[in-house]
Amino acid sequence: MEVRIKQGGVRLDKALADETELSRALANEQIKLGQVLVNGQVKKAKYSVQEGDVITYQVPEVVEIEYLPEDLPLDIIYQDADVAVVNKAQGMVVHPSAGHPSGTLVNALLYHVKDLSGINGVMRPGIVHRIDKDTSGLLMIAKSDEAHTKLAEELKAKKSLRKYVAIVHGNLPNDRGVIEAPIGRSDKERKKQAVTAKGKEAVTRFQVLERFGDYTLVELTLETGRTHQIRVHMAYIGHPVAGDEVYGPRKTLKGHGQFLHAQTLGFTHPRTGELVTFTAPAPAIFQETLEKLRQ
C-alpha cells in the first residue's frame, strides 16, 4: 500500500495513522518491524514527514481470535447463580489475545460455567478483575451483568479484600508497612510498568510472615489494582518478588515464574449483601520452595 503526504511536520507514526486505516499503535509496531518505508528508506517513528513524501506500508494480516469453550482443568472453589470464584493456575492467561488465542481462563470458563456476564463483551465474559499469567490464585467471576456491575463498583471503591502471599528477595527491615507510589507505563521500556510521577495512585500494604535471611515471606494487601502493582512496588523498595523475570534479578529462586499467589478474596455478595471470604492454598512449587527455605 502507498500514500503520499500532503502536509508535513508531524511524526511518521501519527501521519501513517492519520492517512491510513492503521491505528497509531499498529503503525508504530509496523515501523519498528521495518514494514514502513519513506521514499524507499526505513525511518524511525519520530521522523518528521515532509510534504510529498511517499510512504509505503503493509497491512498486517488480521488474525481472528475465536472464543471457544475448552475442557481445561479449572479449580472452581465456589459457585452460585450470581458469582463464581476460581483458583487460577500459575501459567494460565486470563483471556485470549493475539499471543494466546486459546488455553486461557476464559476458554475454560466458557466450558465449565453455564452463564457469564456480557459487560466486557465476548473478549472477557465474566471477568471482573485479572491477575498475571504467572501469578496464581483467586478471581471473582460474574455470572450476570447485575452482579458484574456491583462487583466492579466495589472494586473501584476499594472495598474488596485482596490478599496475596509472596516470597521476596532480601530481609525487609520492617515487619509491616505501606507502599504508596504511583504506577504507570515505564518511559524507558514500554512493556513494563514503573513507579512514575505520571502514574495513577497505587497503595500496597505488606506484613512479614517469615524471614529466611536472603528471602522473606510476606502477605500483601491491595488497596488499588494497578497492572503488576505488587511486582512493581516490591521491586521499587528493593525487595522484588522471587522468580520475577521482568522486575527481579536474574539470580533468583527456580520455579514457574514469580512466587506470588492471590490467597484471600473477599467481597459483598451482589444478591445477598453478605460479606463472603475465600482462601486458596499456594501451588505446590510455592509450598515446596518454602519448605526448602525453612530447612
Side-chain angles (χ1 to χ4, degrees), residues 6 29 35-36 41 45 49 67 119 126 128 135 172 183 186 197 202 207 224 227 238 248 254 257 275 279 290-291:
K6 298 174 182 176
E29 184 178 328
Q35 300 295 322
V36 178
Q41 296 181 327
V49 300
Y67 299 84
I119 283 182
V128 182
T135 298
L172 275 74
I183 292 176
S186 170
Q207 179 176 345
T224 54
T227 302
K254 292 182 180 180
L275 178 62
T279 60
L290 275 180
E291 286 305 313

Side-chain angles (χ1 to χ4, degrees), residues 148-216:
H148 195 136
T149 299
K150 289 182 178 180
L151 292 171
E153 286 175 350
E154 187 173 61
L155 269 175
K156 187 176 182 181
K158 305 174 186 175
K159 294 180 179 179
S160 301
L161 176 65
R162 288 172 293 165
K163 287 188 176 183
Y164 291 67
V165 286
I167 303 173
V168 301
H169 281 267
N171 195 347
L172 275 74
N174 302 310
D175 287 340
R176 63 182 68 233
V178 181
I179 307 167
E180 296 184 69
I183 292 176
R185 193 174 295 278
S186 170
D187 292 329
K188 297 178 181 179
E189 297 180 68
R190 301 298 294 169
K191 291 185 178 181
K192 294 175 66 173
Q193 300 295 109
V195 169
T196 170
K198 299 176 184 177
K200 294 181 179 180
E201 176 195 19
V203 181
T204 306
R205 297 183 179 274
F206 70 85
Q207 179 176 345
V208 171
L209 299 179
E210 287 186 68
R211 298 180 186 275
F212 310 109
D214 293 335
Y215 296 94
T216 304

